[in-house]
Amino acid sequence: AYRTDEGQPWVLPVVKKVEQLIANDNSLNHEYLPILGLPEFRANASRIALGDDSPAIKENRVGSVQSLGGTGALRIGAEFLRRWYNGNNNTATPVYVSTPTWENHNSVFMDAGFKDIRTYHYWDAAKRGLDLQGLLNDMENAPQSSIFILHACAHNPTGTDPSPEQWKQIAAVMKRRSLFPFFDSAYQGFASGSLDKDAWAVRFFVSEGFELFCAQSFSKNFGLYNERVGNLTVVGKDADNVQRVLSQMEKIVRTTWSNPPSQGARIVATTLSSPQLFDEWKGNVKTMADRVLLMRSELRSRLEALGTPGTWNHITEQIGMFSFTGLNPKQVEYMVKEKHIYLMASGRINMCGLTTKNLDYVAKSIHEAVTKIQ
Amino acid sequence: SSWWSHVEMGPPDPILGVTEAFKRDTNSKKMNLGVGAYRDDNGKPYVLNCVRKAEAMIASKKMDKEYLPIGGLVDFTRASAELALGENSEVIKSGRYITVQGISGTGSLRIGANFLQRFFKPSRDVYLPKPSWGNHTPIFRDAGMQLQAYRYYDPKTCSLDFSGAVDDISKIPEKSIILLHACAHNPTGVDPRQEQWKELAAVVKKRNLLVFFDMAYQGFASGDINRDAWAVRHFIEQGINIVLSQSFAKNMGLYGERAGAFTVICKDAEEAKRVESQLKILIRPMYSNPPMNGARIASTILNTPDLRKEWLMEVKGMADRIISMRTQLVSNLKKEGSSHNWQHITDQIGMFCFTGLKPEQVERLIKEFSIYMTKDGRISVAGVSSGNVGYLAHAIHQVTK
């Protein structure tokens, strides 16, 4: 979760404002939302992902399912795919997740009934970057119709995203091999500070004519973590197909949670549908993204100034909340035990944990870990 | 071509269809008796005062929005368990239970269904009363269970087919799962009397069945939370380690906030810890962790003495209005000159009433009087008000005389 420079959680100012508006609106009540969610939320959420001028939206071939966070959107999408994709109830369709990936991806698709979950190459530990060739090879060799979980931006946990050129190559292979793109978009806006930039990959795939799913989370970019606000965007060939897909997703939702929680969706819908509040939100998002970017550049410059062995450009080249530092498990153990700096055994740090007050300490500690421990 | 060419159009939701048709109707006298939500005497949704107060209290605390634990808000789950079991329950005192927050009743049922599918080895069979809430079947089916039924409602008397129920339940294979509605049976409104519950508990115990209680209307049925939880508490006192799903949608009017809970009563606190760990493993790949807002409101109400008192009065107020509408409907039917026995309307309890109307009669009510209900003759008494109960009685009389 995001933290301020004082190391505190941050409720976005625009969220506070909108919550006040909601609290003061006596016309509102706590009635059930429709099964697929709040209509104003759904439309706005998908519009955020695909862009105001999205051809898919204009052509009325976009559907949306309000979900319980990004996880809920992934689960509804996975349940639908298991029932209706690549035949009927085909649990054998391979599902590919990146190496590494958010650990819950595996469980979501397994619990949805998929029996064959595979990995695709992604992180190149040696060069501390994207193993594009490995990724493309895996796609070439994947059975046709395989499902690929793609991180739309700010890859979790590596922070390493394909460049636009690399995305183009990925899309080309996927199109040729008839692979299904399922985007996980948990950090739109939060990664680069720009909603459009962070949505580039998803929009590119749409422009290439793909049918795809995009699981969106508003946990981070709206700071609405515990309200569980998410959206599954469905892009199909035409309105008729999308309508039938949604009707079946409705049945899945009905037996999972019946209808989604209303508070978080109201906050997002109100914000996104008001030009003024929308601008304010974009500003809040940029504040968060900028702080993370600042911490990245400050950490990197300190490590380089200290002469810490190795190269540290990956700290600023990676994007989003997380960074794969390249520290090995022994070095991580040193950080945790000796320096009381908590990071994952994989060497992943949460950039949000860095503050102007602890930057020096963290940089020195990394320096020590790298020089003392091999 | 599309990946989805072969995807069939899902059937329209039967209850939603009622509301859709109602919305389209231009008759000023129209009534929506399909709605599964409470309405006040003006036919409007009712936000409880204690809810508004709780919301104000919460807003003033300026809390953050950090993720809840996977199992939910602890103050909420503890209070939910105490509400259901009674705070003096030996189960609560010994800690031999686990309650996790669920997405209202549906989500809690689903967690339970998935848990049983994964960990209840003896049987795949879940026995539902005939009839049951329409969503029970697909929930358990999607969780990978099989559905069976036991006799429950007697359409001839519009009341409980007790001997049929006992007969069927006595024959359920040992170690099967039986689902019971704790109070205010949905859709019939027919509940066993306490003596009947005692007998059911004995049979269930004899057959060694796993009991899954669905309690969606505690407080809302009789107006008394302890009375409505009597069956649940009796079963536990008889040594039956039940599992339980609770909803706060109706009794706190928190419908869209999705506040609910799933409880497993265990052998001891150690077993409860192991069960908890597995519930979390089920929840995480579904939605990671539950929504805060409804749980926080419910928790504030349950844990703040003044608000809890106010809530108990308000839930009694809702229950009383429903009971009063039942009474008025029957007396109006008598006034209309109906010769039928409408006692079941006042014998039944909770939001819903199985009128006994046949599909053709329901059709006439819809077409000729713009009174909307589901084909099975179920009405939501919550949709009846002092302003329209006379019209309803008149219409029912017209189609049944």
Side-chain angles (χ1 to χ4, degrees):
Chain A
Y2 177 78
R3 293 282 176 272
T4 62
D5 198 50
E6 287 75 39
Q8 294 305 309
W10 193 51
V11 177
L12 274 58
V14 74
V15 167
K16 284 184 189 166
K17 189 184 271 190
V18 170
E19 282 188 311
Q20 195 62 60
L21 291 172
I22 291 171
N24 294 340
D25 186 345
N26 284 317
S27 73
L28 293 175
N29 53 42
H30 292 291
E31 293 297 290
Y32 289 124
L33 287 182
I35 296 172
L36 294 178
L38 187 67
E40 309 84 78
F41 167 79
R42 295 163 55 208
N44 276 299
S46 291
R47 184 175 60 83
I48 287 294
L50 303 181
D52 289 333
D53 51 1
S54 171
I57 294 179
K58 288 203 177 86
E59 290 154 26
N60 201 23
R61 53 190 185 86
V62 175
S64 328
V65 179
Q66 180 186 336
S67 311
L68 285 263
T71 306
L74 284 164
R75 182 61 178 263
I76 299 300
E79 292 278 353
F80 176 85
L81 289 173
R82 191 262 297 161
R83 285 165 175 71
W84 295 100
Y85 177 72
N86 198 25
N88 277 353
N89 208 39
N90 189 352
T91 60
T93 301
V95 177
Y96 282 81
V97 299
S98 64
T99 312
T101 194
W102 183 46
E103 77 285 352
N104 208 17
H105 278 151
N106 276 280
S107 314
V108 169
F109 283 84
M110 260 201 308
D111 280 15
F114 285 101
K115 302 277 181 247
D116 186 359
I117 304 190
R118 310 182 184 185
T119 57
Y120 60 89
H121 284 82
Y122 195 84
W123 170 250
D124 184 334
K127 68 172 212 208
R128 273 185 289 209
L130 178 66
D131 178 6
L132 180 68
Q133 205 45 61
L135 194 167
L136 294 174
N137 285 348
D138 286 339
M139 286 183 169
E140 286 290 354
N141 295 320
Q144 285 214 357
S145 310
S146 295
I147 297 163
F148 273 76
I149 312 305
L150 305 168
H151 298 230
C153 68
H155 182 270
N156 179 359
T158 69
T160 299
D161 290 342
S163 67
E165 278 318 301
Q166 293 173 326
W167 274 121
K168 284 179 180 171
Q169 291 181 66
I170 292 168
V173 178
M174 290 188 75
K175 196 185 266 195
R176 198 169 16 86
R177 304 278 311 133
S178 295
L179 306 173
F180 186 83
F182 196 150
F183 279 97
D184 182 352
S185 176
Y187 300 98
Q188 189 185 2
F190 193 96
S192 71
S194 156
L195 292 169
D196 293 326
K197 196 158 168 212
D198 290 346
W200 189 89
V202 177
R203 295 177 189 183
F204 176 70
F205 271 65
V206 171
S207 72
E208 288 291 294
F210 281 91
E211 291 186 302
L212 55 83
F213 287 175
C214 180
Q216 301 167 260
S217 168
F218 291 91
S219 292
K220 286 85 172 172
N221 60 14
F222 259 90
L224 288 174
Y225 306 93
N226 68 14
E227 303 279 7
R228 315 310 294 125
V229 199
N231 187 54
L232 178 67
T233 288
V234 174
V235 180
K237 270 278 152 22
D238 54 50
D240 182 67
N241 273 294
V242 169
Q243 207 189 1
R244 281 179 282 107
V245 167
L246 249 54
S247 76
Q248 292 298 342
M249 286 185 173
E250 203 173 277
K251 285 177 66 178
I252 294 167
V253 168
R254 185 67 167 131
T255 61
T256 313
W257 55 63
S258 264
N259 43 78
S262 88
Q263 181 69 357
R266 262 187 195 153
I267 294 171
V268 173
T270 304
T271 306
L272 297 182
S273 49
S274 148
Q276 191 190 330
L277 293 171
F278 181 52
D279 279 344
E280 204 174 324
W281 173 59
K282 282 195 283 190
N284 288 172
V285 173
K286 194 160 187 318
T287 297
M288 293 191 286
D290 283 350
R291 194 180 97 67
V292 171
L293 289 168
L294 179 67
M295 290 301 101
R296 286 183 178 277
S297 82
E298 293 287 295
L299 179 62
R300 174 183 168 180
S301 61
R302 275 166 180 69
L303 291 170
E304 285 171 350
L306 287 167
T308 308
T311 54
W312 299 100
N313 47 303
H314 58 282
I315 301 281
T316 49
E317 278 158 23
Q318 287 167 8
I319 194 167
M321 200 180 277
F322 301 114
S323 174
F324 252 26
T325 54
L327 292 174
N328 65 40
K330 286 212 191 75
Q331 293 164 336
V332 169
E333 197 178 345
Y334 177 84
M335 294 284 284
V336 175
K337 288 216 163 78
E338 304 300 323
K339 312 304 293 184
H340 311 292
I341 294 172
Y342 293 85
L343 64 159
M344 306 289 285
S346 60
R348 184 194 86 167
I349 62 172
N350 182 345
M351 300 303 300
C352 297
L354 289 176
T355 67
T356 47
K357 287 198 180 70
N358 67 24
L359 268 168
D360 286 336
Y361 180 68
V362 172
K364 281 207 194 82
S365 304
I366 292 176
H367 183 80
E368 279 179 34
V370 172
T371 49
K372 283 186 181 165
I373 317 272
Q374 302 326 307
Chain B
S1 69
S2 168
W3 287 118
W4 318 124
S5 315
H6 67 296
V7 175
E8 296 153 19
M9 192 68 184
D13 188 286
I15 297 178
L16 245 109
V18 170
T19 300
E20 295 300 303
F22 167 82
K23 281 191 195 147
R24 286 193 297 267
D25 195 322
T26 51
N27 185 346
S28 59
K29 287 203 158 122
K30 65 181 181 178
M31 290 175 71
N32 186 354
L33 300 182
V35 65
Y38 179 79
R39 294 286 176 264
D40 65 16
D41 202 46
N42 295 311
K44 296 272 176 284
Y46 174 59
V47 178
L48 278 64
N49 282 326
C50 60
V51 168
R52 290 201 196 279
K53 285 183 180 157
E55 287 179 302
M57 273 175 72
I58 291 165
S60 69
K61 291 204 181 115
K62 299 191 187 308
M63 289 178 272
D64 62 43
K65 294 195 178 292
E66 295 298 286
Y67 289 124
L68 285 179
I70 299 174
L73 185 66
V74 169
D75 284 346
F76 168 71
T77 54
R78 195 190 314 122
S80 295
E82 283 173 5
L83 180 68
L85 273 41
E87 30 193 48
N88 293 319
S89 162
E90 155 272 321
V91 168
I92 303 278
K93 292 204 172 101
S94 66
R96 63 179 187 93
Y97 74 99
I98 173 64
T99 300
V100 292
Q101 183 181 336
I103 314 297
S104 206
T106 300
S108 305
L109 283 162
R110 182 57 184 269
I111 292 169
N114 279 9
F115 178 74
L116 293 175
Q117 190 276 336
R118 199 172 271 190
F119 291 99
F120 189 72
K121 299 299 169 200
S123 175
R124 298 287 76 170
D125 286 329
V126 178
Y127 284 76
L128 300 179
K130 226 185 311 187
S132 194
W133 181 44
N135 208 19
H136 277 145
T137 294
I139 288 172
F140 281 100
R141 191 168 284 149
D142 278 8
M145 305 300 279
Q146 276 153 214
L147 280 313
Q148 310 290 347
Y150 56 91
R151 274 173 288 169
Y152 189 81
Y153 178 72
D154 185 347
K156 289 197 290 293
T157 59
C158 297
S159 66
L160 181 63
D161 177 4
F162 185 62
S163 56
V166 171
D167 196 31
D168 282 356
I169 294 172
S170 318
K171 299 194 172 97
I172 293 179
E174 290 201 22
K175 297 193 187 162
S176 303
I177 299 159
I178 183 171
L179 183 136
L180 297 161
H181 297 223
C183 62
H185 181 272
N186 180 0
T188 68
V190 169
D191 285 350
R193 293 189 307 275
Q194 285 186 1
E195 316 86 72
Q196 293 172 320
W197 274 123
K198 284 178 178 166
E199 221 180 303
L200 288 170
V203 179
V204 150
K205 204 173 169 185
K206 192 146 174 235
R207 300 303 299 157
N208 200 8
L209 305 177
L210 186 137
V211 175
F212 198 145
F213 264 111
D214 181 355
M215 185 153 67
Y217 299 98
Q218 187 184 6
F220 197 92
S222 70
D224 179 334
I225 49 151
N226 293 310
R227 189 148 159 215
D228 289 347
W230 190 88
V232 167
R233 297 173 188 182
H234 175 75
F235 272 58
I236 293 170
E237 276 156 29
Q238 297 307 303
I240 302 169
N241 286 350
I242 66 163
V243 302
L244 166 72
S245 130
Q246 290 169 271
S247 168
F248 290 89
K250 285 85 173 173
N251 60 11
M252 284 193 181
L254 291 175
Y255 306 93
E257 304 296 340
R258 320 310 292 130
F262 175 68
T263 296
V264 181
I265 308 232
C266 302
K267 187 179 67 187
D268 51 41
E270 189 272 333
E271 180 173 273
K273 277 264 157 282
R274 285 183 282 114
V275 169
E276 180 185 16
S277 71
Q278 295 298 342
L279 289 171
K280 283 156 72 169
I281 290 172
L282 273 169
I283 292 170
R284 174 85 165 129
M286 233 189 263
Y287 49 83
S288 277
N289 43 73
M292 179 273 296
N293 201 42
R296 194 160 263 161
I297 294 170
S299 169
T300 303
I301 291 171
L302 293 172
N303 292 313
T304 308
D306 283 349
L307 291 185
R308 192 185 176 108
K309 260 196 221 111
E310 192 167 354
W311 172 59
L312 291 174
M313 287 193 321
E314 286 190 278
V315 78
K316 184 171 191 317
M318 291 192 287
D320 284 349
R321 194 185 88 68
I322 302 270
I323 291 168
S324 148
M325 288 303 102
R326 290 179 179 276
T327 309
Q328 285 192 43
L329 180 56
V330 172
S331 64
N332 272 282
L333 282 163
K334 287 204 179 95
K335 256 191 269 171
E336 287 284 327
S338 178
S339 55
H340 293 289
N341 179 0
W342 296 104
Q343 191 185 334
H344 54 281
I345 291 181
T346 42
D347 282 348
Q348 289 168 10
I349 194 169
M351 195 180 284
F352 298 112
C353 167
F354 248 28
T355 55
L357 292 168
K358 308 205 173 33
E360 322 84 68
Q361 295 167 327
V362 170
E363 180 113 19
R364 282 189 64 196
L365 282 176
I366 295 174
K367 289 219 158 72
E368 295 173 35
F369 297 93
S370 296
I371 295 172
Y372 292 81
M373 65 188 69
T374 44
K375 286 271 178 314
D376 53 11
R378 182 194 86 162
I379 62 170
S380 168
V381 185
V384 183
S385 69
S386 49
N388 61 26
V389 64
Y391 178 66
L392 177 61
H394 174 74
I396 290 177
H397 178 56
Q398 294 309 307
V399 307
T400 56
K401 63 182 180 184

